[in-house]
Amino acid sequence: MADALLSAVATTILDNINSFWLQEFGINGGLKTELERLHSTLTTIHAVLMDAEEKQWKSEAVKNWLRKLKDTAYDLDDILDDFATNTQRGSQVSTLISLPKQLLFRSKIAHKLKDIREKLDVIAGERSKFHLREGMEEWEVISDREWRQTSSLVNESHVVGRDDELEKIMDMVLNKFADHDGISVYTICGMGGLGKTTLAQSVYNNESIRKGFDLRVWVCVSDDFDITRLTKVIIESIEGNCSIQELDPLQRHLQEILKEKRFLLVLDDVWNEYHDKWEGLKEAFRSGAKGSTVMVTTRIEKVGLMMTTAPLHRLGFLCYDDSWSLFKQRAFRMGKSEDYPQLEALGKEIVKKCGGVPLAIKALGSLMRFKERESEWVSIKESKMWELEDEGSRVLEVLRLSYRHLKPHLRQCFAFCSIFPKDSILERDNLIQLWMANGFIPSNGQVNLHDLGCQIFNELAWRYFFQDIKEDPEGNVSCKMHDLIHDLAQSILSCECCVVEPGQLNMWTVPKTVRYMFVHFAPPQVYNLANVNFLRSLIVNRGFYLNIATNQKHLRALKVTLDRTTKFSFNKFRNIRYLNFTGSSISSLSESISSLPNLQTVNLRRCRQLCTLPKGLKHLKNLIYLDIKDCDALTCMPAGLGQLSCLRILSKFIVGKDQGCNIDELKELALEGEVCIEELDNVKSSIDATSANLKMKQNLSSVSLAWRTNGDLNENAEEVLTSLQPHSSLKKLRIINYHGPKFPYWLMDLLVPNLVEISLENCNRCECLPPFGKLRFLKVLHITGIDALKCIDSSFYGEGAESSFPSLESLSLSDMLCLEEWRRANNGRKTFPLLEELKLTWLASLKSLSGVVDNLSALKRLEIRGCIKLESLPT
């Protein structure tokens, strides 16, 4: 399946030829003639692409014709991109100086376009051999209103048709294994697409399981059953980052962590058939308490039998009734098939052919939801794909059918995801940035590209090309791809996408057709890239690969790690849109980055030694994302960032004293996601603070407001914080080193009612806490360093509500020098019904809790440390 994406490439090129920049700079003469001829040729070819892309499935000749056409189309796209970039540069320098160079450049471009056009004319002439039909209707035109109303977060909480199996597994894990001295292993086995992972997730997230185990760990294994890697992943799932590298100390450390704790470990998607590897991994688990359990999911029965200590749970197909129920949910609005009597009977026939495989049923149901003509349903029912004997092949063919019914740009965005290895966690915003960089998102001139990217992500999620979708309090969305879905994406882009695994270290040759490449860590000299000249995206998981990148003049997206000694000019990357240097040890970036007119994304997250940003960033007029989170050494911002009208993501802003660095630079920026505003000591007045316009930035989900750690007492801190009122939709708030005597009215009056997470750090002069107990969605509350607070009284819980802190799961109080008493709520009001974690640390003056934390039914972890005057511990 080589070239089903050609129609998307051709559409992009036609849009570029017609776009404003070609009309804006007085195109004339030979260049204009060649563009007009190219447009004519491409239009002729584009008219038959839909038919050709269908016939390629059965005709090798058509497939080869499309491949040849696509290679030429890519070459044309690169030429047009060079022309656009050069034209933008030329408009920024003196016309008298640049005119001769511009004329020479345009003459060269005209010659290149002529060569490409003549090549395309020959290829276009060959279409007559295949009897291709013109003007075939696209598969479908989907109502934007229909799928925009559908949430991108696919709900997998209810596992249709698996209630009995879920109950059986729960009973086995909680009860049958409860008194076992050794490690119990329970294995779920079945073909791809049956829902093994979804069933295991339902067990893992069950409330009874949460309460029944001290630790729960989920590890996606896949085909890399490396004992050292898996041991480290398990440790990091429990404790966070682990610096240990060798197997023996890793296993000893894991034994200590698990010692006398009852744990549930899920090993998802295991392929390893080697008994010695399993025994080597299992050795570290033996220190756990009675009832500790390992749950395994696998497609291979031999693997399941090798690992399990209980009867193998073979996951079967869904029965017809459950299959029909699942199909109805997705194929008919509100799941009401009776509203479509002419389609209901056809739907039941289609469901029978799905064979009870949930993945196929969901994908096909999502496809049929947008088809209301009876003939379309008949076509699916009578498709030859149902004649395939192998069940797995039929499932893959169903997925392929769903793919073929996507619009071209959706196909392109989906297929690109094959650049990431199987089981990768994909971040939505990163996907959108890469889609944009590669020109996959078509602009309609009305909605910005980021919003269109979100719509594409939502539709692919609805159609089940993405699953396991999660959203954190900051609004960051992530997802995964089912293995079969990933196989489909790989088969589509196999000639153009290359994933280099860690074990491929013997001068492995990358095919010259590759345009998108993902590299795991390995010494760069092991890759033979002599034939690779047309990379558009290079994503390096770990390592220093600039020697690869610098030879790729058409590169549009680059992710590498930069060494502190790296010195290079960005002028080599004139077409680049996406630069990701996450975790690099650089202290600065070359000023030449400011000369990249197309740059949309600069990701410098966790570049902890980065001291300065280029002064010319304000010239990057197309910059949308500037991520400098956790750039701890950064002390100032370049002037004029407020001029970047496209900027949406600015994770950190350091307020300066100089013109162009003040807080009013944020005024016109339509920021989204999270922002941390530091050095608020430099804000002179409430008028300046108000100019930041935070109250109107409704798409900000997380705001941090920070003064200097060792700054002088700032007398205007209260009025500044009052004027920095965020929008009411805010989810996460952090206030750091605030020296005002009280919290602002918008926090005391809870004018930010949707907060999920709050952190108050070193607000040392405040004597009273806001009534946080009334916040219905608050899950995490962290308070530290409020030295003036002597008593937490009933006002903390809020007045009038039936229960206080109804959603709070984690509460931490620490380093409060004067806190002596914490009183319970008045009137016996129910408090903390969901609190799982409570930390009271270094509250040296605390004498009494007054029964406030007694009888917390959901509490799992209680830490009381450094409370030397506490008279009695909670019961």
Side-chain angles (χ1 to χ4, degrees):
M1 189 195 302
D3 295 289
L5 300 178
L6 180 55
S7 54
V9 177
T11 300
T12 300
I13 294 172
L14 284 169
D15 288 344
N16 285 344
I17 291 176
N18 287 323
S19 66
F20 74 94
W21 49 263
L22 287 177
Q23 310 302 324
E24 193 174 78
F25 295 102
I27 308 302
N28 51 39
L31 184 55
K32 182 178 181 181
T33 301
E34 287 305 327
L35 285 169
E36 289 173 345
R37 289 174 177 173
L38 266 172
H39 188 276
S40 176
T41 301
L42 282 170
T43 303
T44 301
I45 294 173
H46 195 267
V48 300
L49 282 183
M50 290 302 296
D51 192 30
E53 289 181 353
E54 278 308 297
K55 287 182 176 176
Q56 72 166 322
W57 307 101
K58 298 178 181 179
S59 170
E60 192 67 27
V62 173
K63 184 183 293 186
N64 290 334
W65 180 76
L66 283 171
R67 183 179 291 117
K68 184 165 54 175
L69 180 58
K70 189 173 184 182
D71 287 341
T72 308
Y74 269 128
D75 292 342
L76 172 57
D77 194 35
D78 287 336
I79 293 171
L80 292 176
D81 200 39
D82 284 343
F83 177 60
T85 302
N86 187 276
T87 301
Q88 289 183 66
R89 281 181 172 178
S91 67
Q92 296 172 3
V93 298
S94 170
T95 304
L96 291 176
I97 296 174
S98 65
L99 185 58
K101 290 184 178 180
Q102 286 295 311
L103 291 174
L104 179 60
F105 176 77
R106 292 188 181 201
S107 176
K108 289 180 179 179
I109 288 290
H111 284 297
K112 288 182 178 181
L113 291 178
K114 180 182 178 182
D115 292 341
I116 289 288
R117 192 254 307 160
E118 290 174 349
K119 203 174 191 180
L120 282 173
D121 285 341
V122 173
I123 297 173
E126 296 174 357
R127 72 188 187 281
S128 59
K129 296 187 297 185
F130 308 119
H131 308 290
L132 300 176
R133 291 174 292 167
E134 292 189 6
M136 277 189 65
E137 183 181 353
E138 285 197 18
W139 278 107
E140 58 187 314
V141 178
I142 299 167
S143 163
D144 286 344
R145 182 182 61 192
E146 169 67 32
W147 62 264
R148 283 183 194 172
Q149 291 176 345
T150 304
S151 170
S152 65
L153 302 181
V154 180
N155 183 9
E156 301 294 347
S157 59
H158 179 54
V159 186
V160 175
R162 302 295 190 193
D163 292 344
D164 292 342
E165 290 176 292
L166 181 59
E167 186 176 340
K168 178 182 177 181
I169 297 172
M170 291 284 297
D171 180 60
M172 185 69 72
V173 172
L174 284 172
N175 302 319
K176 298 290 176 59
F177 292 159
D179 297 321
H180 282 220
D181 288 328
I183 297 299
S184 301
V185 183
Y186 192 85
T187 303
I188 304 171
C189 183
M191 65 167 282
L194 280 181
K196 300 181 296 296
T197 298
T198 303
L199 185 59
Q201 286 173 333
S202 297
V203 174
Y204 184 83
N205 292 313
N206 186 277
E207 187 61 30
S208 298
I209 294 290
R210 289 175 182 268
K211 294 179 179 179
F213 290 90
D214 301 313
L215 288 174
R216 294 176 306 126
V217 181
W218 182 286
V219 176
C220 188
V221 180
S222 196
D223 54 359
D224 181 19
F225 202 95
D226 180 78
I227 301 174
T228 303
R229 180 187 75 85
L230 292 175
T231 305
K232 189 171 184 178
V233 168
I234 294 168
I235 292 171
E236 290 181 339
S237 297
I238 300 169
E239 291 190 334
N241 290 335
C242 173
S243 59
I244 305 172
Q245 300 297 328
E246 300 300 321
L247 177 59
D248 183 65
L250 276 171
Q251 291 205 312
R252 291 181 184 278
H253 185 52
L254 181 56
Q255 283 182 328
E256 284 298 315
I257 296 172
L258 300 179
K259 190 174 182 180
E260 298 181 359
K261 291 186 175 68
R262 189 183 183 200
F263 66 85
L264 172 65
L265 168 64
V266 177
L267 299 176
D268 184 43
D269 194 25
V270 179
W271 292 72
N272 168 60
E273 298 185 26
Y274 298 99
H275 189 269
D276 57 337
K277 286 189 175 184
W278 166 233
E279 288 298 321
L281 178 65
K282 191 169 65 172
E283 190 61 36
F285 303 156
R286 303 191 188 281
S287 62
K290 283 185 177 182
S292 293
T293 303
V294 177
M295 185 186 300
V296 176
T297 73
T298 181
R299 296 188 200 179
I300 306 170
E301 186 162 320
K302 179 180 177 182
V303 172
L305 291 171
M306 176 190 72
M307 299 179 72
T308 194
T309 61
L312 196 68
H313 186 98
R314 294 178 177 85
L315 196 61
F317 301 107
L318 293 182
C319 69
Y320 170 75
D321 287 343
D322 291 329
S323 298
W324 174 239
S325 176
L326 186 59
F327 182 83
K328 282 199 305 180
Q329 287 179 12
R330 306 188 77 83
F332 301 101
R333 291 175 181 83
M334 306 299 291
K336 294 181 178 180
S337 60
E338 60 272 17
D339 292 345
Y340 307 87
Q342 76 280 14
L343 303 179
E344 187 176 38
L346 290 168
K348 289 180 177 180
E349 292 298 317
I350 291 172
V351 167
K352 289 178 183 177
K353 293 175 180 288
C354 285
V357 181
L359 183 63
I361 295 167
K362 290 176 181 178
L364 205 50
S366 298
L367 170 64
M368 303 315 295
R369 183 180 183 88
F370 304 105
K371 297 185 177 300
E372 296 186 356
R373 293 200 299 270
E374 189 172 344
S375 60
E376 293 175 307
W377 287 61
V378 170
S379 175
I380 299 297
K381 182 179 81 71
E382 296 179 353
S383 170
K384 290 184 178 181
M385 68 181 175
W386 306 117
E387 298 174 8
L388 295 169
E389 294 183 4
D390 179 67
E391 188 70 46
S393 297
R394 283 206 300 275
V395 173
L396 194 57
E397 196 61 31
V398 167
L399 301 177
R400 187 174 287 128
L401 179 70
S402 295
Y403 162 80
R404 287 160 62 188
H405 282 245
L406 293 173
K407 291 180 179 179
H409 67 277
L410 289 169
R411 298 184 212 173
Q412 202 169 31
C413 290
F414 162 69
F416 175 79
C417 296
S418 64
I419 195 174
F420 298 100
K422 280 186 178 180
D423 302 315
S424 296
I425 296 175
L426 309 179
E427 297 177 358
R428 181 193 64 183
D429 286 356
N430 189 49
L431 275 182
I432 292 172
Q433 291 163 18
L434 287 167
W435 290 341
M436 288 168 53
N438 284 283
F440 297 158
I441 301 178
S443 174
N444 60 10
Q446 297 176 350
V447 182
N448 65 54
L449 293 181
H450 179 89
D451 289 344
L452 284 171
C454 289
Q455 292 171 15
I456 290 170
F457 182 92
N458 290 354
E459 185 169 358
L460 290 173
W462 166 252
R463 291 170 175 272
Y464 218 70
F465 290 102
F466 298 144
Q467 63 178 33
D468 197 17
I469 298 174
K470 298 176 181 177
E471 182 174 7
D472 67 16
E474 287 85 11
N476 300 310
V477 177
S478 64
C479 69
K480 295 182 74 173
M481 295 173 71
H482 191 281
D483 280 359
L484 290 178
I485 297 287
H486 192 277
D487 290 343
L488 173 65
Q490 279 187 318
S491 70
I492 294 162
L493 218 55
S494 58
C495 295
E496 299 171 42
C497 187
C498 174
V499 178
V500 184
E501 300 290 348
Q504 297 170 326
L505 302 179
N506 51 352
M507 288 302 291
W508 187 75
T509 301
V510 178
K512 66 179 181 180
T513 56
V514 165
R515 298 182 187 274
Y516 313 104
M517 186 174 174
F518 181 99
V519 184
H520 282 286
F521 176 74
Q525 63 269 20
V526 305
Y527 303 115
N528 185 354
L529 291 156
N531 295 325
V532 180
N533 296 307
F534 300 100
L535 277 183
R536 291 185 167 213
S537 292
L538 175 61
I539 300 175
V540 181
N541 190 40
R542 207 158 45 92
F544 311 104
Y545 283 80
L546 277 175
N547 59 325
I548 295 176
T550 50
N551 296 323
Q552 306 300 321
K553 64 179 181 179
H554 301 295
L555 205 62
R556 300 184 180 193
L558 174 65
K559 179 187 183 298
V560 290
T561 305
L562 300 180
D563 185 87
R564 69 184 65 189
T565 60
T566 303
K567 300 292 182 183
F568 69 100
S569 171
F570 286 99
N571 291 327
K572 298 176 182 179
F573 305 112
R574 59 185 180 181
N575 296 320
I576 206 85
R577 272 87 166 164
Y578 172 100
L579 287 172
N580 188 333
F581 301 138
T582 300
S584 294
S585 56
I586 52 174
S587 60
S588 63
L589 279 176
S590 168
E591 282 292 337
S592 61
I593 196 174
S594 304
S595 65
L596 302 177
N598 299 312
L599 196 59
Q600 299 165 338
T601 299
V602 178
N603 190 336
L604 300 168
R605 182 172 288 217
R606 297 196 307 280
C607 294
R608 300 187 187 279
Q609 298 176 45
L610 184 69
C611 300
T612 60
L613 291 171
K615 295 179 181 179
L617 278 186
K618 64 183 178 182
H619 300 305
L620 298 176
K621 300 303 182 183
N622 289 309
L623 192 65
I624 302 173
Y625 310 92
L626 178 58
D627 192 345
I628 48 177
K629 185 175 182 179
D630 298 326
C631 293
D632 302 328
L634 199 62
T635 57
C636 62
M637 307 297 288
L641 290 186
Q643 300 174 30
L644 301 178
S645 59
C646 294
L647 197 65
R648 300 171 69 97
I649 300 296
L650 179 62
S651 49
K652 177 189 287 191
F653 184 83
I654 303 171
V655 180
K657 297 179 180 179
D658 298 333
Q659 184 69 27
C661 301
N662 304 138
I663 197 170
D664 61 356
E665 292 295 311
L666 300 177
K667 183 176 182 179
E668 301 296 333
L669 299 182
L671 298 181
E672 295 185 1
E674 60 179 315
V675 64
C676 177
I677 307 176
E678 299 181 357
E679 298 285 331
L680 286 170
D681 310 71
N682 292 330
V683 179
K684 298 177 181 179
S685 68
S686 61
I687 296 175
D688 291 341
T690 303
S691 70
N693 208 19
L694 288 190
K695 191 175 181 181
M696 302 305 294
K697 301 186 192 304
Q698 61 182 13
N699 293 319
L700 276 177
S701 54
S702 174
V703 170
S704 297
L705 304 171
W707 285 256
R708 282 192 289 272
T709 304
N710 299 315
D712 297 330
L713 185 62
N714 196 322
E715 294 299 335
N716 71 346
E718 183 180 353
E719 66 177 73
V720 167
L721 184 57
T722 300
S723 300
L724 290 174
Q725 178 181 348
H727 192 273
S728 61
S729 62
L730 194 71
K731 300 290 183 62
K732 183 176 178 180
L733 174 66
R734 191 178 177 201
I735 300 176
I736 308 164
N737 301 324
Y738 167 62
H739 297 312
K742 61 183 179 180
F743 291 107
Y745 74 91
W746 52 264
L747 196 55
M748 298 300 293
D749 295 343
L750 303 182
L751 300 183
V752 278
N754 296 298
L755 286 170
V756 175
E757 187 171 334
I758 299 173
S759 181
L760 306 177
E761 305 170 29
N762 300 323
C763 305
N764 49 25
R765 294 179 63 201
C766 294
E767 298 179 359
C768 180
L769 292 175
F772 289 140
K774 297 175 71 174
L775 292 172
R776 293 185 298 150
F777 308 109
L778 187 63
K779 291 185 177 182
V780 178
L781 178 58
H782 172 68
I783 303 174
T784 182
I786 302 187
D787 295 343
L789 184 66
K790 295 182 179 180
C791 176
I792 298 177
D793 56 25
S794 60
S795 64
F796 180 58
Y797 302 92
E799 301 296 336
E802 292 184 5
S803 66
S804 292
F805 298 100
S807 301
L808 196 69
E809 297 174 359
S810 176
L811 174 59
S812 171
L813 304 178
S814 64
D815 297 298
M816 289 147 67
L817 299 177
C818 297
L819 183 64
E820 297 178 357
E821 185 179 8
W822 182 5
R823 300 173 187 166
R824 75 175 74 195
N826 291 337
N827 304 322
R829 189 185 314 160
K830 187 176 182 181
T831 59
F832 308 117
L834 301 181
L835 191 66
E836 296 182 354
E837 180 180 57
L838 175 62
K839 293 183 180 180
L840 306 175
T841 55
W842 304 112
L843 307 177
S845 300
L846 184 63
K847 299 176 182 177
S848 171
L849 293 175
S850 302
V852 71
V853 294
D854 289 347
N855 304 315
L856 295 177
S857 58
L859 195 66
K860 292 182 178 178
R861 182 179 180 185
L862 174 63
E863 180 180 347
I864 299 179
R865 184 159 43 95
C867 301
I868 56 178
K869 293 185 180 180
L870 192 62
E871 295 170 354
S872 61
L873 294 176
T875 59

